[in-house]
Amino acid sequence: AKVPAIIEGSATLIADNYAFEDIGAHVAEKLRGLLANGEYSMVISKERLETKLSTDLKTLSGDKSLKTTSNIPALPPMDYSPEMFIELIKVSFHHEILENNIGYLRFDMFG
């Protein structure tokens, strides 16, 4: 029952946040079309939805890095020491420089 809302939310997130606006709008429109055509009507598990949505996102966008995840980090305690802030930064922010001056930056949580 939650699948239509998840697909609609995904389409909105991509349209609003994808790096290339025209591609984001195209992917969002196509996702909504797949939902309307019943492509997600047979999805009955979280794992199957994650797999199908990731496959559709990659196919529609041509971006092999665009995918879904259910990775939810545990929230740290609220009373931080200076040492804890340093450790939190180390485990929460990841970056990598790839070929052709392309960078990968991942934030696992925000303060």
Side-chain angles (χ1 to χ4, degrees), residues 17-109:
N17 298 298
Y18 195 72
F20 303 103
E21 289 181 29
D22 55 335
I23 295 174
H26 172 76
V27 171
E29 178 185 336
K30 294 294 183 182
L31 269 181
R32 290 180 178 115
L34 291 173
L35 180 63
N37 289 338
E39 290 287 326
Y40 289 91
S41 62
M42 297 303 288
V43 174
I44 57 172
S45 71
K46 179 181 175 182
E47 294 78 20
R48 178 69 181 123
L49 176 61
E50 188 174 327
T51 301
K52 177 154 180 52
L53 184 55
S54 288
T55 300
D56 289 343
L57 290 173
K58 288 177 187 179
T59 302
L60 295 173
S61 69
D63 183 348
K64 64 182 179 185
S65 300
L66 185 59
K67 62 183 176 181
T68 62
T69 181
S70 57
N71 181 11
I72 301 171
L75 294 175
M78 299 308 275
D79 187 21
Y80 302 122
S81 67
E83 294 81 18
M84 187 132 191
F85 271 119
I86 293 169
E87 287 304 311
L88 184 61
I89 290 169
K90 286 179 184 177
V91 300
S92 298
F93 300 97
H94 306 275
H95 71 282
E96 185 178 346
I97 305 293
L98 305 172
E99 291 181 30
N100 298 322
N101 201 28
I102 295 176
Y104 170 80
L105 181 62
R106 184 179 95 197
F107 300 90
D108 288 338
M109 67 179 77

